[in-house]
Amino acid sequence: MTRRGFIAAGSALSYARILGANDRLRVGLVGAGGRGTYVARYAKEFGNADIAAFADIYQPRIDKAKQELNANGDAHRDFRELLNRKDIDAVVIGAPDHWHVPMTVAAVAAGKDVYVEKPLTHSVEEGRTVIDAVRKSGRIVQVGYQQRSYPHMAQARELIQGGRIGTVTQVLTWWNQNYMNREEPRIDVSKLEWQQFLGNACPREFDPWRYSQWRWFWDYGNGTLTDLFSHWIDTVHWVMGDSVPTEARGQGSRFLIPWYECPDTVSVELTYPKNFQVSYVSTMVTGMEDGGILFRGTEGTLRLTRPFIEVYPEKGVDDKRTHVRKASLTVDAKREGTIDHVLNWMDCIKTRKQPNAPVESSVDAANAAHWGNEAIRSGRAISTPPADGAWLPLFNGRDLDGWIQDTPGLWSVRDGMIVGKHTGLKWNDFLRTRDTYEDFELALEFRLLNGEGNSGVQFRSVNDLQPHELFGYQADIGQQYWGCLYDESRRRKILAQAPAPAIEKIDKNGWHTYVVKALGNHITITLDGMRTVDYTETERGILKRGLIALQVHAGPGIEVWFRNIRIKELA
């Protein structure tokens, strides 16, 4: 909260009810943590909703939410049980980010109207999925970008679109919070459904930080950009009438909070078609100044925060100390905007009108945050939306055209597969592409016969003067290294280890699929649909262009098969 406080929300009785006493909306709460309970409380107090059921994977949270909202409400450990109930009209989803789209899609398919917290998506790819599902269902889905329901923010939008501050060329945004000196969370694991928390994320052992501070781990959240910046960028899109940037650039580091994966300090810049620039700066080591937006125009500047608006005319008298002109207009917020956002949702359930924060604009807001994160992690400018190339085959299924063999006869083609086979070697052997690649997505299927020996897929690799040697990255195959990222012959170490639970049950002798994505400094490896590696290269001077190769490892006999090898170059 900044220097101006909100006026107290006041009694729920002072506001008109959305539904009559005999027409109460029956709401289920999915994800009964702090934010979900907060939103559901407003639905009850200001909208006269009956919070009839609760679903959460951690029993203490269900107990606490029931105590606050409805002691007689039904409890479920699996959200699907709640969605299957015919007596529930709508749901509030307050689960971690990686569950937002799966839960929303399931909820609308079950005929429920939805209030889902932001960001709506956990990845760019999820956007089309959720838009199509909601449109097909005809359900009302409100996303938790509550700025769109603050009256003073709507007034700011009218002022800017009406030309009050002239032509806006630059929008500055910021949000700071203090995450320092946090004690390790205490979680009663016996009351937690850890596997349900993970969902489609990579299987791994329980970690109290990952559960309680999930926003700061890439598998479940995406740090400050999706948590905080997405609020502001949604507001900027709404105010400026432009929601898809043309380019994203960014920097970010973990300077002081190394136990998280996401950076604690970031700066991002986005450029938009309507000739304005948006910047965001944030650090999680201090709460100084909290969050806000500054619209800079030719005729003035407008400062917008949740508590207030201030307009500073371009022509006026400067304060001698701050060089800031006296505000020509100041407007305070009357109450917390989430109240009006929830009421707007409930009114739209009744009228079937579109809510203030529909899925389409919310996908755009989340995408801007995702592209900002990709700019940070890749270390390069991201053209948006990316104009990626088409998938092209690297193997024609008939012969080794386009490939170079280290040892003739060791590599062959059989039944539409590339086969690497030896009965014992003192050296690693490679089948190398003639062409080199820099930023790409590589997909292939592989099988290690009998699950014995070691193999791998090299990428961004370069030839060494010594025969049978490559320097570069490797997606490992074999023994305990399935799904790992290794640095072959250069640093000679594992850069990212796949979690043991992710690979302990895979059929070592069966067919598997790798998808390797390399964009600038950011490398991900997906094994059979599980993202086992999410790695950002921090060492300077590492080559980003090189050939792709298949490997059989030195040692006892090995036979490995590869098929459906294809590549898509990234813009």
Side-chain angles (χ1 to χ4, degrees), residues 387-398:
D388 300 334
W391 284 100
L392 299 173
L394 283 181
F395 169 50
N396 62 23
R398 301 182 305 275

Side-chain angles (χ1 to χ4, degrees), residues 51-358:
I51 312 303
F54 304 84
D56 200 281
I57 58 170
Y58 191 42
Q59 188 61 46
R61 286 192 167 177
I62 291 181
D63 296 341
K64 188 173 186 296
K66 286 184 63 175
Q67 183 180 3
E68 293 184 23
L69 298 173
N70 181 3
N72 297 318
D74 296 323
H76 303 276
R77 297 295 286 272
D78 189 330
F79 76 94
R80 299 169 188 86
E81 296 175 357
L82 187 153
L83 295 183
N84 287 335
R85 291 177 50 159
K86 302 301 183 183
D87 62 331
I88 299 296
D89 304 307
V91 294
V92 171
I93 298 175
D97 294 357
H98 71 301
W99 272 110
H100 286 178
V101 166
M103 286 180 172
T104 299
V105 170
V108 298
K112 315 302 183 191
D113 296 311
V114 177
Y115 185 111
V116 57
E117 265 305 316
K118 58 81 216 160
L120 178 56
T121 65
H122 187 230
S123 67
V124 172
E125 292 74 20
E126 285 187 324
R128 178 46 52 191
T129 298
V130 70
I131 289 173
D132 289 346
V134 172
R135 286 178 176 173
K136 180 180 178 181
S137 72
R139 308 317 300 174
I140 299 298
V141 177
Q142 175 90 293
V143 183
Y145 289 118
Q146 64 265 30
Q147 287 70 226
R148 290 178 177 244
S149 294
Y150 277 88
H152 78 290
M153 292 200 177
Q155 183 177 351
R157 180 173 182 254
E158 292 174 1
L159 289 170
I160 291 174
Q161 292 189 354
R164 177 66 175 264
I165 62 172
T167 301
V168 175
T169 61
Q170 185 182 67
V171 184
L172 309 180
T173 70
W174 64 94
W175 212 318
N176 305 308
Q177 293 182 350
N178 193 332
Y179 276 73
M180 299 296 292
N181 302 319
R182 295 199 170 195
E183 296 182 1
E184 182 170 325
R186 296 181 180 180
I187 308 297
D188 186 345
V189 183
S190 68
K191 298 179 179 179
L192 174 69
E193 300 290 344
W194 174 244
Q195 296 305 319
Q196 285 198 54
F197 168 83
L198 292 174
N200 292 327
C202 185
R204 61 180 71 242
E205 299 292 342
F206 171 73
D207 181 336
W209 287 108
R210 283 179 172 269
Y211 172 66
S212 65
Q213 302 295 316
W214 53 264
R215 292 187 187 280
W216 303 96
F217 294 88
W218 298 114
D219 277 352
Y220 331 111
N222 290 289
T224 181
L225 290 188
T226 51
D227 180 25
L228 300 172
F229 172 63
S230 71
H231 271 303
W232 285 161
I233 200 60
D234 178 68
T235 304
V236 173
H237 290 172
W238 178 54
V239 169
M240 298 297 294
D242 202 356
S243 63
V244 180
T246 57
E247 185 180 80
R249 296 174 181 267
Q251 292 183 322
S253 298
R254 287 179 297 161
F255 289 128
L256 291 175
I257 313 181
W259 54 91
Y260 292 163
E261 289 182 343
C262 303
D264 57 50
T265 304
V266 306
S267 61
V268 168
E269 290 186 355
L270 304 173
T271 303
Y272 283 80
K274 288 188 176 179
N275 297 324
F276 67 94
Q277 180 189 75
V278 180
S279 67
Y280 176 68
V281 293
S282 173
T283 184
M284 296 295 104
V285 304
T286 174
M288 177 68 179
E289 206 174 8
D290 195 56
I293 311 176
L294 207 64
F295 295 87
R296 295 185 181 274
T298 55
E299 302 297 326
T301 296
L302 186 147
R303 181 185 295 270
L304 179 60
T305 70
R306 283 177 174 171
F308 67 92
I309 302 169
E310 286 183 340
V311 177
Y312 312 98
E314 185 64 19
K315 296 178 180 180
V317 179
D318 285 354
D319 181 281
K320 293 182 179 179
R321 183 173 63 87
T322 65
H323 295 281
V324 175
R325 289 171 175 78
K326 182 178 179 181
S328 61
L329 175 67
T330 299
V331 179
D332 289 335
K334 302 305 180 184
R335 59 175 175 174
E336 214 278 83
T338 305
I339 299 170
D340 294 291
H341 208 51
V342 169
L343 293 180
N344 170 253
W345 172 57
M346 297 178 73
D347 184 56
C348 290
I349 290 174
K350 181 179 179 180
T351 65
R352 311 315 290 177
K353 295 180 180 178
Q354 278 294 295
N356 287 345

Side-chain angles (χ1 to χ4, degrees), residues 364-379:
D364 286 345
N367 283 348
H370 297 322
W371 289 324
N373 268 324
E374 194 59 79
I376 290 172
R377 303 196 71 189
S378 67

Side-chain angles (χ1 to χ4, degrees), residues 335-570:
R335 59 175 175 174
E336 214 278 83
T338 305
I339 299 170
D340 294 291
H341 208 51
V342 169
L343 293 180
N344 170 253
W345 172 57
M346 297 178 73
D347 184 56
C348 290
I349 290 174
K350 181 179 179 180
T351 65
R352 311 315 290 177
K353 295 180 180 178
Q354 278 294 295
N356 287 345
V359 293
E360 290 83 359
S361 62
S362 300
V363 165
D364 286 345
N367 283 348
H370 297 322
W371 289 324
N373 268 324
E374 194 59 79
I376 290 172
R377 303 196 71 189
S378 67
R380 50 160 285 183
I382 303 296
S383 297
T384 57
D388 300 334
W391 284 100
L392 299 173
L394 283 181
F395 169 50
N396 62 23
R398 301 182 305 275
D399 53 44
L400 296 178
D401 183 42
W403 298 81
I404 300 172
Q405 300 182 59
D406 272 8
T407 303
L410 191 152
W411 297 92
S412 63
V413 175
R414 183 201 312 160
D415 300 327
M417 307 179 300
I418 292 177
V419 178
K421 180 179 179 180
H422 68 76
T423 56
L425 280 181
K426 295 182 179 180
W427 60 82
N428 296 335
D429 207 85
F430 297 96
L431 179 67
R432 315 166 190 232
T433 59
R434 295 183 183 278
D435 295 331
T436 60
Y437 304 89
E438 183 170 349
D439 294 325
F440 60 85
E441 196 167 354
L442 172 72
L444 56 87
E445 297 173 50
F446 63 89
R447 181 184 180 192
L448 186 60
L449 203 63
N450 300 320
E452 297 175 352
N454 283 296
S455 178
V457 181
Q458 305 288 135
F459 58 96
R460 286 183 171 174
S461 298
V462 294
N463 295 311
D464 183 46
L465 295 177
Q466 300 294 324
H468 308 291
E469 196 74 72
L470 274 179
F471 289 85
Y473 296 107
Q474 176 174 285
D476 262 323
I477 300 170
Q479 294 186 8
Q480 70 267 37
Y481 303 116
W482 296 82
C484 295
L485 178 65
Y486 182 68
D487 194 312
E488 177 76 25
S489 301
R490 184 171 48 194
R491 288 170 287 188
R492 298 179 183 273
K493 67 177 182 179
I494 294 175
L495 302 176
Q497 179 81 51
I503 61 175
E504 64 185 9
K505 295 182 179 180
I506 68 172
D507 178 6
K508 305 298 194 299
N509 186 42
W511 280 100
H512 300 282
T513 301
Y514 259 152
V515 177
V516 178
K517 184 177 180 179
L519 183 64
N521 295 324
H522 188 202
I523 296 171
T524 60
I525 298 176
T526 302
L527 171 64
D528 297 339
M530 300 179 296
R531 188 174 64 183
T532 58
V533 167
D534 197 337
Y535 176 76
T536 302
E537 181 62 74
T538 58
E539 187 170 324
R540 296 179 181 274
I542 301 296
L543 292 176
K544 294 184 177 64
R545 173 172 283 277
L547 54 83
I548 290 168
L550 310 178
Q551 183 209 55
V552 289
H553 203 273
I558 180 176
E559 183 169 343
V560 61
W561 302 346
F562 298 93
R563 69 185 183 190
N564 295 331
I565 309 170
R566 55 200 186 280
I567 195 166
K568 176 174 66 175
E569 295 194 79
L570 304 177

